[in-house]
Amino acid sequence: MEILVCVKQVPDTAEVKIDPVKHTVIRAGVPNIFNPFDQNALEAALQLKDNQGAKVTLLSMGPPQATEVLREGLAMGADDAYLLTDRKVGGSDTLATGYCLAQAVKKVAEMKGIAQFDIILCGKQAIDGDTAQVGPQIACELGIPQITYAAKLDVDGDKVTVKQQNEEGYIVTEAHFPVLLTAVKELNEPRFPTIRGTMKAKRREIPQLSAADINVDESRIGLSGSPTKVRKIFTPPQRTQGLVINEEDPQVAVDTLIEKLTAQKII
């Protein structure tokens, strides 16, 4: 079984600041982390490796420092890792990113000498964008089935059964290989990198792919190839605590509330 896991290095959202003039995210000085949902996707792949002998390959798209999350994934137990990095893909929106990654998936499969990956795993979304679009877009570009929001999965032969999380409960969905799955945090508890794995990962050479390597149509990548344009980004104003009416007598509390609402011309 050949499994590919798409991972992303994201800014720690607890530390993100917004440029009030340019309306862009200030990344300088902001620590980068392994996207949490992608860790769940990787853990699912590693469990299949432990139980069924799968090979796990990592793929990321980003600047050269994104090798940090790839090395962390290798330290957790992944077998191989590849980085798509090129200034030409910078500024890509989700549509352009999905296209680039799909092209990279095909290139990595070719480099590994396989026709295609049996399973592609992604986190349900990246915490810096929260769109949950890239995984499904990769599946669409590759023309393969997709099952999103996986909270539990079982693989039997070339068939995968997924318990899909949704707002009203769960849906059980089946598909045959090849298939793309997106993981939610309820799927598992990601393991920690081992010391031995970390030391080995530091010595690994991670192949880097350019836009030319993956044979992309340059009109579909980067800012110019992205149909989505960000006009403004801002931090919502902090809410102040509302008025709390502490009255033991319910009638007095209601009268006080009506008085306050009337004074503010709400009623």
Side-chain angles (χ1 to χ4, degrees):
M1 190 190 311
E2 292 281 354
I3 303 175
L4 181 135
V5 185
C6 293
V7 300
K8 186 179 182 182
Q9 185 183 60
V10 295
D12 188 344
T13 53
E15 302 291 335
V16 166
K17 297 180 181 178
I18 307 299
D19 186 316
V21 177
K22 297 180 180 179
H23 303 299
T24 56
V25 176
I26 301 174
R27 295 182 181 270
V30 178
N32 292 313
I33 61 174
F34 198 130
N35 184 52
F37 294 110
D38 296 346
Q39 288 184 313
N40 295 113
L42 175 54
E43 176 61 29
L46 294 176
Q47 289 181 11
L48 288 171
K49 176 182 177 180
D50 294 340
N51 298 330
Q52 301 190 30
K55 295 291 185 180
V56 178
T57 301
L58 303 176
L59 173 63
S60 186
M61 172 176 157
Q65 60 265 30
T67 53
E68 296 172 6
V69 296
L70 292 173
R71 293 191 191 282
E72 184 176 343
L74 289 169
M76 290 171 68
D79 299 291
D80 295 299
Y82 297 82
L83 175 64
L84 170 58
T85 183
D86 194 316
R87 289 187 178 275
K88 291 181 180 179
V89 303
S92 295
D93 68 0
T94 58
L95 188 65
T97 297
Y99 168 64
C100 289
L101 286 171
Q103 292 296 105
V105 168
K106 290 187 282 189
K107 180 62 177 180
V108 171
E110 177 188 323
M111 293 171 69
K112 293 178 69 67
I114 60 175
Q116 61 189 355
F117 287 95
D118 299 306
I119 299 175
I120 299 174
L121 276 157
C122 306
K124 73 162 185 173
Q125 63 195 53
I127 62 171
D128 60 345
D130 287 335
T131 64
Q133 295 173 349
V134 172
Q137 286 169 348
I138 294 172
C140 288
E141 289 286 347
L142 294 174
I144 63 174
Q146 58 177 285
I147 306 177
T148 55
Y149 301 98
K152 182 181 179 182
L153 67 89
D154 293 295
V155 174
D156 182 12
D158 69 343
K159 183 179 75 175
V160 59
T161 303
V162 176
K163 184 178 179 182
Q164 284 184 276
Q165 185 184 75
N166 67 19
E167 294 179 352
E168 298 179 352
Y170 296 94
I171 302 172
V172 177
T173 307
E174 294 181 350
H176 290 275
F177 296 165
V179 62
L180 182 143
L181 313 174
T182 71
V184 298
K185 65 180 182 180
E186 289 80 7
L187 179 59
N188 51 47
E189 185 68 32
R191 68 191 66 186
F192 291 102
T194 64
I195 295 177
R196 182 179 180 183
T198 300
M199 296 303 293
K200 289 178 63 178
K202 285 183 177 180
R203 297 191 296 268
R204 287 287 297 273
E205 182 177 345
I206 296 177
Q208 296 188 1
L209 305 173
S210 67
D213 291 330
I214 61 174
N215 194 32
V216 293
D217 176 352
E218 293 191 9
S219 67
R220 296 182 60 186
I221 66 174
L223 281 172
S224 60
S226 300
T228 305
K229 306 300 179 186
V230 178
R231 298 300 181 188
K232 185 177 182 181
I233 184 170
F234 61 93
T235 302
Q238 187 173 1
R239 291 186 177 185
T240 57
Q241 185 175 351
L243 174 66
V244 178
I245 300 173
N246 293 314
E247 294 287 350
E248 294 185 4
D249 187 337
Q251 186 59 52
V252 174
V254 170
D255 292 342
T256 303
L257 176 60
I258 292 175
E259 180 182 340
K260 297 290 184 182
L261 293 175
T262 303
Q264 296 183 32
K265 298 182 180 180
I266 296 174
I267 60 174

